[in-house]
Coordinates of all heavy atoms in Angstrom, one line a residue:
I1103 N -32.3 11.4 -36.8 CA -31.3 10.7 -37.5 C -31.6 10.5 -39.0 O -30.8 10.7 -39.8 CB -31.1 9.3 -36.8 CG1 -30.5 9.4 -35.4 CG2 -30.3 8.3 -37.7 CD1 -30.4 8.2 -34.6
L1104 N -32.9 10.2 -39.3 CA -33.3 10.1 -40.7 C -33.1 11.3 -41.5 O -32.7 11.3 -42.6 CB -34.8 9.7 -40.7 CG -35.4 9.3 -42.0 CD1 -34.8 8.0 -42.6 CD2 -37.0 9.2 -41.9
D1105 N -33.3 12.5 -40.8 CA -33.1 13.8 -41.5 C -31.6 14.1 -41.8 O -31.3 15.0 -42.6 CB -33.7 14.9 -40.7 CG -35.2 14.9 -40.7 OD1 -35.8 14.2 -41.6 OD2 -35.8 15.6 -39.8
T1106 N -30.7 13.4 -41.2 CA -29.3 13.6 -41.5 C -28.8 12.9 -42.7 O -27.7 13.1 -43.1 CB -28.4 13.2 -40.3 OG1 -28.5 11.7 -40.1 CG2 -28.9 13.8 -39.0
I1107 N -29.6 12.0 -43.3 CA -29.2 11.2 -44.5 C -29.3 12.1 -45.7 O -30.4 12.6 -46.0 CB -30.1 10.0 -44.6 CG1 -29.8 9.0 -43.4 CG2 -29.8 9.3 -45.9 CD1 -30.7 7.8 -43.4
P1108 N -28.2 12.3 -46.4 CA -28.3 13.2 -47.6 C -28.9 12.5 -48.8 O -29.0 11.3 -48.9 CB -26.8 13.5 -47.8 CG -26.1 12.3 -47.3 CD -26.9 11.8 -46.2
E1109 N -29.2 13.3 -49.8 CA -29.8 12.8 -51.1 C -28.7 11.9 -51.8 O -29.1 10.9 -52.5 CB -30.2 13.9 -52.0 CG -31.5 14.6 -51.5 CD -32.0 15.6 -52.6 OE1 -31.8 15.3 -53.8 OE2 -32.5 16.6 -52.2
S1110 N -27.5 12.3 -51.7 CA -26.4 11.5 -52.4 C -25.1 11.6 -51.5 O -25.1 12.3 -50.5 CB -26.2 12.0 -53.8 OG -25.8 13.4 -53.7
G1111 N -24.1 10.8 -51.9 CA -22.9 10.9 -51.2 C -22.8 9.7 -50.2 O -23.6 8.8 -50.2
H1112 N -21.8 9.8 -49.3 CA -21.5 8.8 -48.4 C -22.6 8.6 -47.4 O -23.2 9.5 -46.9 CB -20.2 9.1 -47.6 CG -19.9 8.0 -46.6 ND1 -19.6 6.7 -46.9 CD2 -19.8 8.1 -45.2 CE1 -19.3 6.1 -45.8 NE2 -19.4 6.9 -44.8
L1113 N -23.0 7.3 -47.2 CA -24.0 6.9 -46.2 C -23.5 5.7 -45.5 O -23.5 4.6 -46.0 CB -25.3 6.7 -46.9 CG -26.5 6.2 -46.0 CD1 -26.8 7.1 -44.9 CD2 -27.8 5.9 -46.9
P1114 N -23.2 5.8 -44.2 CA -22.7 4.6 -43.4 C -23.8 3.6 -43.3 O -25.0 3.8 -43.1 CB -22.4 5.2 -42.0 CG -22.3 6.7 -42.3 CD -23.2 7.0 -43.4
D1115 N -23.4 2.3 -43.5 CA -24.3 1.2 -43.4 C -25.0 1.2 -42.1 O -26.1 0.8 -42.0 CB -23.6 -0.1 -43.7 CG -23.1 -0.3 -45.1 OD1 -23.7 0.4 -46.0 OD2 -22.2 -1.1 -45.3
E1116 N -24.2 1.5 -41.0 CA -24.7 1.5 -39.7 C -26.0 2.4 -39.5 O -26.9 2.0 -38.8 CB -23.7 1.9 -38.7 CG -22.5 0.9 -38.5 CD -21.4 1.2 -39.6 OE1 -21.7 2.1 -40.5 OE2 -20.4 0.5 -39.6
K1117 N -26.0 3.5 -40.2 CA -27.1 4.4 -40.0 C -28.3 3.8 -40.8 O -29.5 3.9 -40.3 CB -26.8 5.8 -40.6 CG -27.8 6.8 -40.3 CD -27.3 8.2 -40.7 CE -26.3 8.8 -39.7 NZ -26.0 10.2 -40.0
V1118 N -28.1 3.2 -41.9 CA -29.2 2.5 -42.6 C -29.8 1.4 -41.8 O -31.0 1.3 -41.7 CB -28.7 2.0 -44.0 CG1 -29.9 1.2 -44.7 CG2 -28.2 3.1 -44.8
H1119 N -28.9 0.6 -41.2 CA -29.4 -0.5 -40.3 C -30.2 0.0 -39.1 O -31.2 -0.6 -38.8 CB -28.2 -1.3 -39.8 CG -27.5 -2.0 -41.0 ND1 -26.2 -2.5 -40.9 CD2 -27.9 -2.4 -42.2 CE1 -25.8 -3.0 -42.0 NE2 -26.8 -3.0 -42.8
Y1120 N -29.8 1.1 -38.6 CA -30.6 1.7 -37.4 C -32.0 2.0 -37.9 O -33.0 1.7 -37.2 CB -29.9 2.9 -36.9 CG -30.6 3.6 -35.8 CD1 -30.5 3.3 -34.5 CD2 -31.6 4.6 -36.1 CE1 -31.2 3.9 -33.4 CE2 -32.3 5.2 -35.1 CZ -32.1 4.8 -33.8 OH -32.9 5.4 -32.8
C1121 N -32.1 2.7 -39.1 CA -33.4 3.1 -39.6 C -34.2 1.9 -39.9 O -35.5 1.9 -39.6 CB -33.2 4.0 -40.8 SG -32.5 5.6 -40.4
E1122 N -33.6 0.8 -40.5 CA -34.4 -0.4 -40.8 C -34.9 -1.1 -39.5 O -36.1 -1.5 -39.4 CB -33.5 -1.4 -41.5 CG -33.1 -0.9 -42.9 CD -32.0 -1.8 -43.6 OE1 -31.4 -2.6 -42.8 OE2 -31.8 -1.6 -44.8
R1123 N -34.0 -1.1 -38.5 CA -34.5 -1.8 -37.2 C -35.5 -1.0 -36.5 O -36.4 -1.5 -35.9 CB -33.2 -2.0 -36.3 CG -32.3 -3.1 -36.8 CD -33.0 -4.4 -36.8 NE -32.1 -5.5 -36.9 CZ -32.4 -6.8 -36.8 NH1 -33.6 -7.2 -36.6 NH2 -31.5 -7.7 -36.9
F1124 N -35.4 0.4 -36.6 CA -36.4 1.2 -36.0 C -37.8 0.9 -36.7 O -38.8 0.8 -36.0 CB -36.1 2.7 -36.1 CG -37.0 3.5 -35.3 CD1 -36.8 3.8 -34.0 CD2 -38.2 4.1 -35.9 CE1 -37.7 4.5 -33.2 CE2 -39.1 4.8 -35.1 CZ -38.8 5.0 -33.8
L1125 N -37.8 0.9 -38.0 CA -39.1 0.6 -38.7 C -39.6 -0.7 -38.3 O -40.8 -0.9 -38.3 CB -38.9 0.8 -40.2 CG -40.1 1.0 -41.0 CD1 -40.9 2.2 -40.5 CD2 -39.8 1.2 -42.5
E1126 N -38.7 -1.7 -38.1 CA -39.1 -3.0 -37.7 C -39.8 -3.0 -36.3 O -40.9 -3.6 -36.1 CB -37.9 -3.9 -37.7 CG -38.2 -5.4 -37.3 CD -37.0 -6.2 -37.4 OE1 -36.3 -6.2 -38.4 OE2 -36.7 -6.9 -36.3
L1127 N -39.3 -2.2 -35.4 CA -39.9 -2.0 -34.1 C -41.3 -1.4 -34.2 O -42.2 -1.9 -33.6 CB -39.0 -1.1 -33.3 CG -39.6 -0.6 -31.9 CD1 -39.9 -1.8 -31.0 CD2 -38.6 0.4 -31.3
I1128 N -41.4 -0.3 -35.0 CA -42.7 0.3 -35.2 C -43.7 -0.6 -35.8 O -44.9 -0.7 -35.4 CB -42.5 1.6 -36.1 CG1 -41.6 2.6 -35.4 CG2 -43.9 2.2 -36.4 CD1 -42.1 3.1 -34.1
T1129 N -43.3 -1.4 -36.8 CA -44.2 -2.3 -37.5 C -44.7 -3.4 -36.5 O -45.9 -3.7 -36.5 CB -43.4 -3.1 -38.6 OG1 -43.0 -2.1 -39.6 CG2 -44.3 -4.1 -39.3
D1130 N -43.8 -3.9 -35.6 CA -44.2 -4.9 -34.6 C -45.1 -4.3 -33.6 O -46.1 -4.9 -33.1 CB -43.0 -5.5 -34.0 CG -42.3 -6.5 -34.9 OD1 -42.8 -6.7 -36.0 OD2 -41.2 -7.0 -34.5
L1131 N -44.9 -3.0 -33.2 CA -45.8 -2.4 -32.2 C -47.2 -2.2 -32.8 O -48.2 -2.2 -32.1 CB -45.2 -1.0 -31.8 CG -44.0 -1.0 -30.9 CD1 -43.4 0.4 -30.7 CD2 -44.4 -1.6 -29.6
E1132 N -47.2 -1.9 -34.1 CA -48.5 -1.7 -34.8 C -49.2 -3.0 -35.1 O -50.4 -3.0 -35.4 CB -48.3 -1.0 -36.1 CG -48.0 0.5 -35.9 CD -49.3 1.3 -35.7 OE1 -50.0 1.6 -36.7 OE2 -49.7 1.5 -34.5
A1133 N -48.5 -4.1 -35.0 CA -49.1 -5.4 -35.5 C -50.0 -6.1 -34.5 O -50.9 -6.8 -34.9 CB -47.9 -6.4 -35.8
L1134 N -49.9 -5.7 -33.2 CA -50.7 -6.4 -32.2 C -51.5 -5.4 -31.4 O -51.0 -4.3 -31.1 CB -49.7 -7.1 -31.2 CG -48.9 -8.3 -31.8 CD1 -47.9 -8.8 -30.8 CD2 -49.8 -9.4 -32.3
L1135 N -52.7 -5.7 -31.1 CA -53.6 -4.8 -30.5 C -53.1 -4.3 -29.1 O -53.3 -3.2 -28.8 CB -55.0 -5.5 -30.3 CG -56.1 -4.6 -29.7 CD1 -56.3 -3.3 -30.5 CD2 -57.4 -5.4 -29.5
P1136 N -52.5 -5.2 -28.2 CA -52.1 -4.7 -26.9 C -51.1 -3.5 -27.0 O -51.1 -2.7 -26.1 CB -51.4 -5.9 -26.3 CG -52.1 -7.1 -26.9 CD -52.3 -6.6 -28.4
T1137 N -50.3 -3.5 -28.0 CA -49.3 -2.4 -28.2 C -49.9 -1.3 -29.1 O -49.5 -0.2 -29.0 CB -48.0 -2.9 -28.7 OG1 -48.2 -3.7 -29.9 CG2 -47.3 -3.8 -27.7
R1138 N -50.7 -1.7 -30.1 CA -51.2 -0.8 -31.1 C -52.2 0.2 -30.6 O -52.3 1.4 -31.0 CB -51.8 -1.5 -32.3 CG -52.3 -0.7 -33.4 CD -52.8 -1.5 -34.6 NE -54.0 -2.2 -34.3 CZ -54.2 -3.5 -34.4 NH1 -53.2 -4.3 -34.8 NH2 -55.4 -4.0 -34.2
R1139 N -53.1 -0.2 -29.7 CA -54.3 0.5 -29.3 C -54.0 2.0 -29.1 O -54.7 2.9 -29.6 CB -55.0 -0.1 -28.1 CG -56.2 0.6 -27.6 CD -56.8 0.0 -26.4 NE -57.6 -1.2 -26.7 CZ -57.4 -2.4 -26.3 NH1 -56.4 -2.6 -25.6 NH2 -58.2 -3.4 -26.7
F1140 N -53.0 2.3 -28.3 CA -52.8 3.7 -27.9 C -51.5 4.3 -28.7 O -51.5 5.5 -28.9 CB -52.6 3.9 -26.4 CG -53.8 3.4 -25.6 CD1 -53.7 2.3 -24.8 CD2 -55.0 4.0 -25.8 CE1 -54.8 1.8 -24.1 CE2 -56.1 3.6 -25.1 CZ -56.0 2.5 -24.3
F1141 N -50.6 3.4 -29.0 CA -49.4 3.8 -29.7 C -49.8 4.4 -31.1 O -49.1 5.3 -31.5 CB -48.4 2.6 -29.8 CG -47.3 2.9 -30.7 CD1 -46.2 3.7 -30.3 CD2 -47.2 2.4 -32.0 CE1 -45.2 4.0 -31.1 CE2 -46.1 2.7 -32.8 CZ -45.1 3.5 -32.4
N1142 N -50.7 3.7 -31.7 CA -51.1 4.1 -33.1 C -51.4 5.6 -33.2 O -51.0 6.3 -34.1 CB -52.3 3.3 -33.5 CG -52.7 3.6 -35.0 OD1 -53.3 4.5 -35.3 ND2 -52.3 2.7 -35.8
T1143 N -52.1 6.2 -32.2 CA -52.5 7.6 -32.2 C -51.2 8.5 -32.1 O -51.1 9.5 -32.7 CB -53.5 7.9 -31.1 OG1 -54.6 7.0 -31.2 CG2 -54.0 9.3 -31.2
V1144 N -50.3 8.1 -31.2 CA -49.1 8.9 -31.0 C -48.2 8.8 -32.3 O -47.7 9.8 -32.7 CB -48.3 8.3 -29.8 CG1 -47.0 9.1 -29.6 CG2 -49.1 8.4 -28.5

């Protein structure tokens, strides 16, 4: 999905929000040892 975003031109807000929320999920998975220990390597 990230690769479909062009350098310029129309960009739907919904696609930006998806990417933001995904990064939020990744950040939270990395924040705690129980989820980070093996996820980090993947």
